[in-house]
């Protein structure tokens, strides 16, 4: 349990950094959202391809693993597309906290599909996290268009979490952490099927494009690998409780990367107070 929480915490930091790198990648590389999404995942697939053979994972390509892996990729890609579109229309600090709405969806799906359970105290903590996150997000102006994009992203990610645990537990090994890592490798190799999609975007697969998306891809790959391994050890709901602290990470990272976007009077203070409240609710969940 503790190891799972630690892994998710590391993944959460990397994932929040990924959201900041998305905007920088688009600005510096002059790439569209679709181009960033496709090329970053192709590079991740190429990185994971030799690992597939090093760990002899081809024997785990059962119908169940590949089927759930395909559903993971589809829901994840669609969710990231919606999220990246929201970020490009606002900023990571304003958009990403609304992903907390994924938490009640994940909790409901986990209770129904994965047979997880929640105590009254944990339900109160969960409700507090959601309400404080919404308050946190209201500290900035957000358009209805951006809100709709993030809500669609939250729904896709909730489904993705269920599919990824199903895929991990379909891999026939006893080590839960390695199940998570192997699932990432298999799913990322499946992303190589996106190669034909490169020519459907305005960006071509080139050294310039690969160089532009490399920091994003490496950060993304590390974040996803540690989060999935953590989910498999700690459970989907517990993992998502830790991910709710993305709000706090977004404040810090946006302050470092995009200081001008936090210049409104009182904006940073409101965000910081709400983020501190989120930390308290997370602590209540685990007491």
């Amino acid at each position: 349990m503790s190891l799972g929480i630690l892994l998710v915490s590391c993944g959460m930091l990397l994932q929040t950094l990924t959201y900041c790198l998305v905007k920088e990648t688009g600005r510096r590389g002059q790439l569209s959202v679709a181009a960033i999404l496709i090329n970053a995942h192709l590079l991740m697939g190429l990185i994971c391809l030799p690992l597939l053979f090093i760990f002899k994972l081809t024997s785990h390509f059962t119908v169940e693993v590949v089927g759930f892996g395909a559903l993971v990729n589809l829901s994840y890609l669609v969710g990231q597309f919606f999220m990246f579109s929201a970020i490009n229309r606002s900023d990571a600090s304003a958009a990403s906290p609304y992903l907390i709405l994924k938490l009640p969806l994940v909790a409901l799906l986990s209770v129904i599909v994965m047979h997880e359970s929640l105590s009254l105290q944990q339900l109160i903590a969960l409700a507090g996290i959601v309400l404080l996150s919404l308050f946190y997000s209201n500290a900035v102006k957000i358009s209805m268009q951006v809100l709709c994009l993030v809500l669609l992203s939250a729904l896709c990610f909730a489904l993705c979490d269920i599919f990824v645990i199903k895929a991990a537990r379909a891999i026939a090994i006893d080590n839960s952490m390695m199940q998570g890592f192997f699932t990432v490798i298999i799913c990322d190799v499946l992303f190589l099927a996106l190669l034909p999609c490169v020519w459907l975007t305005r960006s071509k697969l080139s050294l310039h494009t690969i160089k532009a998306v490399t920091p994003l891809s490496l950060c993304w790959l590390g974040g996803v690998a540690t989060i999935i391994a953590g989910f498999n050890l700690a459970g989907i709901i517990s993992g998502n409780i830790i991910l709710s602290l993305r709000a706090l990470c977004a404040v810090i990272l946006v302050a470092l990367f995009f200081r001008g976007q936090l210049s409104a009077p009182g904006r940073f203070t409101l965000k910081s107070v709400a983020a501190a409240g989120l930390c308290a609710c997370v602590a209540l969940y685990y007491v």
Side-chain angles (χ1 to χ4, degrees):
M1 180 72 167
S2 298
L3 179 58
I5 291 173
L6 178 62
L7 287 170
V8 174
S9 298
C10 293
M12 178 263 296
L13 293 172
L14 290 171
Q15 189 180 66
T16 309
L17 179 59
T18 297
Y19 290 144
C20 292
L21 288 174
V22 167
K23 198 156 190 171
E24 282 295 283
T25 301
R27 183 178 65 84
R28 293 183 179 182
Q30 299 297 308
L31 300 173
S32 67
V33 172
I36 293 172
L37 191 64
I38 292 171
N39 285 288
H41 280 88
L42 283 175
L43 182 55
M44 289 161 64
L46 290 173
I47 293 171
C48 289
L49 186 59
L51 298 177
L52 187 75
F53 298 101
I54 290 172
F55 291 108
K56 300 177 180 179
L57 299 182
T58 52
S59 61
H60 295 292
F61 271 63
T62 63
V63 173
E64 188 177 14
V65 171
V66 173
F68 281 123
L71 290 172
V72 168
N73 286 1
L74 179 61
S75 56
Y76 188 73
L77 277 174
V78 175
Q80 288 291 3
F81 179 80
F82 286 136
M83 190 62 203
F84 285 6
S85 297
I87 290 171
N88 277 345
R89 287 169 172 79
S90 57
D91 64 70
S93 178
S96 63
Y98 275 96
L99 277 177
I100 197 63
L101 295 174
K102 163 194 167 187
L103 187 54
L105 293 173
V106 165
L108 180 61
L109 289 172
S110 297
V111 170
I112 295 173
V113 179
M114 309 300 293
H115 307 294
E116 292 195 26
S117 60
L118 290 168
S119 66
L120 178 60
Q121 179 177 312
Q122 289 174 325
L123 286 171
I124 293 172
L126 190 152
I129 290 169
V130 173
L131 291 174
L132 278 170
S133 294
L134 292 175
F135 170 78
Y136 173 99
S137 300
N138 285 332
V140 300
K141 292 181 179 179
I142 186 169
S143 69
M144 184 58 66
Q145 183 186 37
V146 173
L147 178 59
C148 290
L149 287 169
V150 179
L151 287 174
L152 288 170
S153 179
L155 177 59
C156 290
F157 289 149
L159 291 170
C160 181
D161 285 356
I162 299 298
F163 294 144
V164 78
I165 294 302
K166 288 287 188 181
R169 293 178 181 175
I171 295 177
I173 58 174
D174 294 329
N175 190 309
S176 296
M177 186 170 70
M178 294 310 296
Q179 276 183 330
F181 287 137
F182 289 169
T183 301
V184 173
I185 294 171
I186 291 172
C187 288
D188 281 356
V189 169
L190 292 177
F191 275 129
L192 293 176
L194 291 172
L195 186 59
C197 297
V198 173
W199 289 276
L200 299 178
T201 68
R202 296 179 181 179
S203 173
K204 295 180 180 179
L205 190 62
S206 63
L207 289 177
H208 167 75
T209 305
I210 292 173
K211 181 180 178 181
V213 301
T214 294
L216 172 62
S217 296
L218 293 175
C219 185
W220 202 338
L221 183 59
V224 171
T226 48
I227 286 173
I228 292 176
F231 276 7
N232 205 31
L233 286 167
I236 300 176
I237 301 177
S238 292
N240 274 280
I241 291 292
I242 297 299
L243 288 182
S244 68
L245 294 179
R246 272 181 302 217
L248 178 59
C249 291
V251 170
I252 297 170
L253 291 177
V254 171
L256 292 174
F257 282 88
F258 310 110
R259 294 184 182 182
Q261 296 182 15
L262 289 171
S263 58
R267 181 172 175 178
F268 186 80
T269 301
L270 284 174
K271 283 178 171 290
S272 299
V273 170
L278 286 171
C279 292
C281 286
V282 171
L284 176 63
Y285 182 90
Y286 290 108
V287 170

